[in-house]
Structures are given as C-alpha cells and as structure tokens.
Amino acid sequence: MGKSQQKKRQTRRHNPMRVPDSHLEKGLAAASASSRKNEVILPIIQKMESVDPSERKWACVAVSNLIQNDPSTRRLLQGKNVVGALITRLSDSEEEVVIEAAGALRNLCIDGGFDICAEMYNKNILAPLKSFIPKISNTLSQYLATPKSAPDSAQELIYGFADNVITIIWCLSETSNKAMNAINQISLIPFLMSFLGARETLPASTVTSAAQCLYVLTDENPPAINELRSDAAYTAYLLSIVRPSEPALNVNGKDKEISNERALTLRVLCCGILRNISPIPPPSVAATVDLDRDVVLPTLVPVLSSVALLEASLRAQELVDKDESVTQLEKLSLKHAPKSDHKTESQIELERLEQRLRTVQSTLEILTGLCATLPDPVSPSDGPETEGDGEDEDEDMDAETDEDAVPEEDNTQLPASSAPAYFDSLVYPLLTLIQPTPLSFPPLAGPSPHPPTTSVLSAIHISALECLNNIFLSMATTAARRSLDVDAENGRKLWHEIWRSLSKVGTEISGAGQERRREMWGLAAGVLWGVGNIWKGALVPDSDQVNVLIQFCSAASDHVVKVKCIGTLECLAQHPQSIDANKTISQYLLSLLLPTSSTPTEPLLQTVSALIDIYSDETLPYDTNFRQGHYLDALVASVEGVRRAVKSIDRKKERDLRIRGEEVRDNLIAFIEYRRGLGL
C-alpha cells in the first residue's frame, strides 16, 4: 500500500466555512431566485456610500445580518461589489463604521470561504489591516497598563475589533501562497503572542482567535515557524498554556462551563502550534519535552470523547426548530438601525455548540499528522501521567457510548488484545466519531436545516477517517502489526464499524451538495484497505460489501479512490475459504485489464499487483478459480497493454510512478513464467 495515501492533514481545512455553496446553482440569476432578501440588497449598497455615518454603519451591520446561513443572499451582495464597498469603509472617518465594516468582512470570510477571501486579497484589504496592527497594539498596551483608563464599552469595542482583524488575517492566510507571503511581511507573531500573554485579562474569544491565527500561520510556513521557534519565551509560554500550573478561575455554573470550554479550545490550538514548530531548539524548556507522548496525546485524546455527536445533532435540531431568528431578520425595517448583536438565546447556544464541535475538529486535524508516526507503544504502567490519562479516557468513552449509541449497536468496544497502549484509547473514540448523525450531511433534496452544524459534523467524520487511515498505514509497517495479527476479532470489529458508518452515509453520493458524502466514501475506502492489509486473510468477504466496492470503484472518477477500492478488494479476495467471493473479485479485476476498459494507469498497475498477490500461493483453496478460469491466458493478453501504460508515464514528471510501473510490469512477466512453470 503506497505511502502516497498518507496525509498529515487535508490541505487548508482550518477555515470554518460554515455555509457551503455547493448545493446552489451557479450564477446571480439562480442566487436571486433562491434569495428572499433580493429587494433589500440595493438599498444596503446605496447606504454604504451615504453621507450620513449612521446609515453607513447600518449598511455594514445589515450585511452581517443578511448573510447568516444564507449563501444565495451573500452571492447577490458579492455581485454588487459588497466586498469592495466594505474595504473602502475600513478607511471611513467614523470609528464605528470602521468597526462594523471589519465585522461584516470577518463574517463574509467565515461564511463565504476561499473565494471571498481571494477577492478581498485582490482588492488590497491587507493595506488597511496592516495599519490597524500598531494601533490595536498601542491601545491594548494602554488598557492592560491602566485598566480603568477607558470604560468597559470602549474596551469591548477594541477587543471585538481586534478579534475581527485577526480572524480576517487568519482566513486570508489560507487563501493562497501569495496571500501568505504578503502576510509574512507583517510583524504578526509578537502581536498575536501578546494576546496569549494577556489571556487572563482579555476576552477568551479574542485570545482564541489569536491562537487560531498562529496555528494557521505556523502550518508549513517557515518564516512564522522560525520566528516563533527562535524565541524561547514564546515556546515556553505555549507549553505553559497546554500544561497550566495554576488552578482554573473560581467560577460556577454555566460561566464555569463556558470558561472550561474556552480554556480547552486554547489548549488544543497551542498543542497544534507546538507540533507545527517542532522540533523546538534549546534553550526553550519545550526542547526538553517529548511533545507527542507527554503533551499532545495526553491533552488531545480525552477531547475526542468530550462531545456526543448524536446528542449534539439532536440538540442543534431542537434549537433550530424553536428559533425564529430568520423571521426577526426579515422584519428589520430599513428605517431603524439594527443592533450589532441581536442574537436569540437559541442562536447563542447553537454557536456555543458549534464551537465545542470545532474544538473536536481541530483536535482531529492535529492528531492526523501524529497518527502517521505514533510514539512507540507504551504500557499505562510506565508512568503516572500516562496511567491517569488512560483512566480519564476510559470514563469519557463510557459516557460517550451511553449517550451516542443505539441499544442494538452498543457493542463497539474493541476486544482486549496485545495491541499498543494507544490502540484502544485512540482507535475506539475515532470509530465513534465516524458515525454520522441526522445533521451530518445536507438532505438529498436540499440544504441542511442548519449548515454550520452540518459543516462541522461532516468535517469531524472526515478528519476522524483521516486519523484512522494514518494509524493503519503506520501499523502496517511497524511492530504493532505483529501484535495485532493474532487478534482477528479486532479486525472484524473495525471492519464492521466502518461499514456501519457507510450505511448511514448512504450510496446516493452524486449531485450538488453531496461532496462530503463522496469524500467520506473515498476516505473510508482507504481505511478499509488499511484494515484489510493488516488482517489480510482473516476478514470474511460479504457479497453485498464486495458488490458495493466494485460499483464504487467503477463509478469513481478519482484515480486514487479507484486504487484504494482495488487494494481493499485484493485483501478481501485473500480469505482462503471464500472461493465464490474470490471469483467475483478476480473476474472484476481482470475486466479492468481489458483494452476496452480504459483503466487509468495507477489503477491498472494496482490491479496487476493485486492479481499477482492474490494468486502467488497456488496451494490456497481459491486458486482453483485461477486454473478453471484460465486467468493465466488473460494475464498474458494484458502484458502488452501494461507495457504501453508504463511507457506512457513521464519519467521526469512522475518518476516514482514510472519506477513502480516498471517494477509491476517486470513482476507480471515473472509471475506468468512462474505459473507456467507450475504446469497446473
């Protein structure tokens, strides 16, 4: 199984794009037809240029109101150059207009995603943003030095403004390498670290935004990595946030719950920053710590079981059902300036729920890279810290199972085995997180009832699958595999849980808006391949599952997905007693070698390799299919096609694939000679 399937983290997925456009038709006409707010768009744009500052402020606030969970209205606003108008307002003579314009741009970044961010960058939004950095820093220093120098309302305004500016920069940094290079020219690391340094006195949301921005900026971005890594005080402080020595603030009730959630989000992000900049050089105290084993895993693994996804989904649906915010927004009169914060209790709770889920998503993204190179297996008795964490994780996982499993499926605990210590503590909660909920994907007939929740739930499922994919790829080449080989029950349990997840995803994955369903199937195929590769010969192929894999492979346009399906089928075909399943799979694989099949090069090579592996041992019971089906003749007939395919691979552009192709071609010729020599 090729290492090319192993990813650190899916490229640029930090940006919490909350309302995907994919279910909408293209073009402004389609957006106009689907939006119920078309008639208010023009007045908003007109008032953006008004001589009356209160009307300019109103227009900026109205943009934020209208785009909430409404991509069609956002597109209409884009068509009227709302981005350019808002960027112009960042240089407004009235401070309140500037603040509201920044808030509207921040919401456009988050709700609109990469296209809007690219538009903002092209319209030079970084020029005004860059001028705000020293102003915010100076004001922040004054407030911290003399807290009573300004009223609370003024402090809240500047903290909120800083939050908006930081979030816009965070989103822009993911837009393109050009945007990242431009952002690297701004002295952001000291600016952002100052918020973390004053986290006890600043709003948690602003501090978290600064940490999120640092997390993104240090993701494979050498200038930011080197600047942060080179200052021992910075790295030591990040470590102190993850492993606080001081007790939490003495608060009770809901305030305590909110405080703990925000503190956890900050710790998770700081774990991600530390991983991004590792290895950390001396003299930082962080250089003396095994970050993955002693900091990241103990901090992040319990987070995986901190939220019951099914319960969260049901609660979100309840809140959506009783929320009347859309009606309230549509009743806003153009004669009255809306308040900048008019959220209902349901909306506030929905945002809190989304933030809890986003913390789990960030945790999974960080763990994805770690799962590719897990620390050596450690016994829980090796140290008190590991032991304590293990106990906490077990309690959390039990709670999750009670809340999130239906009675007939409450048997997903993997059996005890000689697996590495991290196996049960990590793999089991990941299996829980791949199970879809009623809100995980948009309905087949239209958009989700609450796109932000759907977006984060599907992102959690996908990130959990990426973690599992990397775990099994890693295990396939380590001593961990040898300890698992003897425990076939583990493999069967894993296999069952992955297919249980896919049954909830469903097979209707074509059409607009169903991209995440397709992505789930593509990633799951890789995880199934990993499981099948470790427990090859121990998994009994199910005819329905085999047929689904064959159909998915045939329908997939992505060559990588085809390779994964072929690899999984190869593993299933090697169950010694499943002669009929072996025949079904091998006949399908042989059909991919026919000249009329037009199989792409990589899947073709994987098919040849699979057939060689399946029939390399002529003593196995299913080898009768090879002999009775005259497979040798079919392989001989395929040689010329394989030669042509290999010859067509560009040595310079695809050197590794060319080397692999030549190896497979040579193996095929040698295999044919071997089988001929047997005389069977």
Side-chain angles (χ1 to χ4, degrees):
M1 183 163 43
K3 286 292 181 183
S4 61
Q5 307 307 321
Q6 187 165 297
K7 293 184 187 177
K8 176 188 174 186
R9 183 165 51 237
Q10 191 174 38
T11 303
R12 297 294 177 214
R13 199 153 45 79
H14 310 292
N15 188 0
M17 182 177 174
R18 303 167 74 238
V19 189
D21 290 352
S22 55
H23 61 274
L24 291 176
E25 295 180 22
K26 301 295 183 184
L28 290 177
S32 179
S34 61
S35 175
R36 292 167 292 181
K37 306 184 183 74
N38 191 27
E39 68 280 0
V40 302
I41 298 298
L42 186 58
I44 288 174
I45 299 300
Q46 290 173 340
K47 287 178 183 290
M48 198 83 71
E49 305 293 336
S50 171
V51 295
D52 184 348
S54 65
E55 290 194 342
R56 298 200 300 273
K57 176 184 173 182
W58 179 91
C60 294
V61 175
V63 171
S64 292
N65 291 342
L66 290 173
I67 66 170
Q68 286 189 22
N69 302 340
D70 191 348
S72 57
T73 301
R74 169 167 40 80
R75 284 207 193 152
L76 288 176
L77 285 164
Q78 281 181 265
K80 301 296 184 181
N81 191 30
V82 71
V83 170
L86 286 169
I87 292 175
T88 300
R89 296 277 69 81
L90 291 178
S91 303
D92 200 280
S93 57
E94 291 291 328
E95 186 177 82
E96 288 189 0
V97 175
V98 174
I99 290 171
E100 295 298 346
L105 287 164
R106 178 254 189 203
N107 290 344
L108 280 169
C109 279
I110 289 181
D111 275 356
F114 303 133
D115 289 342
I116 280 187
C117 290
E119 183 182 351
M120 290 181 187
Y121 173 75
N122 291 334
K123 292 180 176 176
N124 201 26
I125 192 176
L126 282 179
L129 292 183
K130 185 177 180 179
S131 70
F132 295 147
I133 302 299
K135 296 176 183 177
I136 294 172
S137 294
N138 292 335
T139 307
L140 181 66
S141 299
Q142 292 173 14
Y143 288 171
L144 292 176
T146 54
K148 296 181 180 180
S149 61
D152 290 344
S153 59
Q155 294 189 36
E156 288 177 8
L157 275 177
I158 191 64
Y159 296 150
F161 180 62
D163 193 340
N164 290 334
V165 170
I166 291 169
T167 302
I168 294 170
I169 292 173
W170 148 33
C171 294
L172 287 174
S173 67
E174 302 177 297
T175 305
S176 65
N177 288 332
K178 283 175 63 178
M180 179 67 88
N181 291 335
I183 289 168
N184 283 336
Q185 304 306 310
I186 307 172
S187 181
L188 279 178
I189 300 302
F191 172 71
L192 296 171
M193 283 301 300
S194 69
F195 287 89
L196 273 62
R199 65 191 178 95
E200 297 298 334
T201 53
L202 295 178
S205 60
T206 308
V207 175
T208 303
S209 293
Q212 179 73 70
C213 193
L214 278 167
Y215 173 47
V216 175
L217 286 176
T218 55
D219 182 14
E220 300 181 3
N221 180 30
I225 292 171
N226 293 334
E227 186 173 0
L228 196 55
R229 182 191 281 164
S230 63
D231 193 317
Y234 289 164
T235 52
Y237 195 76
L238 289 168
L239 187 62
S240 73
I241 294 175
V242 179
R243 305 169 73 176
S245 56
E246 72 278 1
L249 295 176
N250 186 22
V251 291
N252 297 307
K254 182 167 284 189
D255 287 342
K256 181 177 181 180
E257 182 183 345
I258 294 172
S259 175
N260 290 341
E261 287 175 5
R262 289 171 174 170
L264 177 61
T265 300
L266 183 60
R267 291 176 66 203
V268 167
L269 291 170
C270 288
C271 277
I273 296 166
L274 286 168
R275 280 211 95 240
N276 285 347
I277 65 174
S278 62
I280 298 169
S284 171
V285 65
T288 65
V289 178
D290 185 331
L291 283 175
D292 283 350
R293 179 180 292 175
D294 299 334
V295 177
V296 178
L297 277 174
T299 301
L300 299 188
V301 169
V303 180
L304 300 181
S305 303
S306 64
V307 182
L309 298 190
L310 179 58
E311 182 181 297
S313 170
L314 296 175
R315 180 57 182 157
Q317 186 64 65
E318 288 176 7
L319 293 168
V320 169
D321 290 342
K322 76 176 188 178
D323 183 59
E324 297 178 352
S325 62
V326 174
T327 303
Q328 293 172 4
L329 284 175
E330 291 185 341
K331 288 180 179 179
L332 284 173
S333 170
L334 293 180
K335 297 178 183 179
H336 301 91
K339 296 178 180 178
S340 60
D341 184 6
H342 60 277
K343 294 173 183 173
T344 65
E345 289 186 9
S346 296
Q347 287 176 316
I348 292 170
E349 187 175 346
L350 278 167
E351 288 187 359
R352 279 190 56 213
L353 182 60
E354 182 189 355
Q355 182 55 52
R356 290 175 62 198
L357 294 170
R358 291 284 174 197
T359 300
V360 176
Q361 180 195 354
S362 296
T363 298
L364 289 165
E365 289 182 353
I366 297 164
L367 284 173
T368 299
L370 190 151
C371 286
T373 54
L374 281 165
D376 292 333
V378 215
S379 168
S381 62
D382 285 353
E385 183 178 358
T386 308
E387 184 175 1
D389 289 326
E391 291 172 0
D392 291 341
E393 290 153 19
D394 289 342
E395 291 174 7
D396 288 339
M397 284 184 280
D398 290 341
E400 171 84 5
T401 304
D402 291 341
E403 294 171 342
D404 203 3
V406 292
E408 67 269 23
E409 296 172 339
D410 191 15
N411 60 350
T412 55
Q413 179 74 52
L414 295 178
S417 71
S418 57
Y422 59 75
F423 189 79
D424 288 335
S425 65
L426 193 53
V427 171
Y428 174 56
L430 288 174
L431 288 174
T432 302
L433 293 176
I434 69 172
Q435 300 300 329
T437 74
L439 277 183
S440 292
F441 304 101
L444 297 173
S448 163
H450 193 246
T453 300
T454 293
S455 173
V456 68
L457 285 171
S458 59
I460 286 173
H461 303 322
I462 286 167
S463 295
L465 280 171
E466 289 176 330
C467 286
L468 288 169
N469 182 62
N470 281 1
I471 285 174
F472 295 126
L473 281 170
S474 181
M475 283 183 171
T477 57
T478 66
R481 173 173 179 170
R482 292 193 293 274
S483 66
L484 290 167
D485 278 344
V486 297
D487 193 352
E489 187 61 21
N490 258 330
R492 286 189 283 268
K493 285 285 186 180
L494 288 164
W495 187 265
H496 169 75
E497 287 305 299
I498 298 163
W499 277 103
R500 185 161 75 89
S501 168
L502 290 174
S503 69
K504 295 176 184 177
V505 175
T507 56
E508 295 186 53
I509 58 176
S510 61
Q514 303 309 318
E515 292 81 5
R516 285 297 176 90
R517 292 183 195 267
R518 288 197 291 277
E519 193 173 357
M520 280 284 288
W521 273 95
L523 286 166
V527 179
L528 289 170
W529 187 9
V531 174
N533 195 49
I534 292 172
W535 285 278
K536 190 179 293 183
L539 298 174
V540 181
D542 175 273
S543 59
D544 290 339
Q545 293 174 1
V546 168
N547 288 331
V548 168
L549 283 169
I550 289 174
Q551 292 167 12
F552 183 51
C553 184
S554 298
S557 57
D558 188 328
H559 297 181
V560 173
V561 171
K562 284 183 178 290
V563 168
K564 292 176 182 177
C565 292
I566 293 165
T568 305
L569 289 167
E570 170 196 338
C571 297
L572 289 176
Q574 293 184 61
H575 184 258
Q577 286 74 42
S578 298
I579 297 174
D580 288 342
N582 174 279
K583 184 176 182 179
T584 299
I585 293 169
S586 58
Q587 287 181 343
Y588 172 69
L589 296 179
L590 285 169
S591 73
L592 297 179
L593 301 183
L594 295 173
T596 55
S597 67
S598 302
T599 304
T601 301
E602 286 187 73
L604 180 72
L605 296 176
Q606 187 63 43
T607 300
V608 173
S609 179
L611 287 165
I612 293 172
D613 286 347
I614 293 168
Y615 295 109
S616 60
D617 185 349
E618 69 278 1
T619 65
L620 291 171
Y622 58 66
D623 195 71
T624 184
N625 291 328
F626 187 93
R627 299 190 297 272
Q628 293 179 359
H630 304 290
Y631 291 178
L632 183 59
D633 294 340
L635 290 176
V636 170
S638 73
V639 170
E640 188 55 37
V642 172
R643 280 185 173 139
R644 284 197 301 270
V646 172
K647 192 174 182 179
S648 69
I649 303 172
D650 192 308
R651 287 184 182 273
K652 294 180 180 179
K653 295 181 180 179
E654 298 179 290
R655 183 174 179 274
D656 290 343
L657 182 61
R658 179 62 182 255
I659 292 172
R660 170 166 160 72
E662 291 172 350
E663 180 183 357
V664 169
R665 176 201 61 204
D666 294 345
N667 287 345
L668 174 61
I669 295 170
F671 178 72
I672 289 171
E673 292 304 314
Y674 168 73
R675 293 295 308 206
R676 277 175 172 164
L678 293 175
L680 297 175

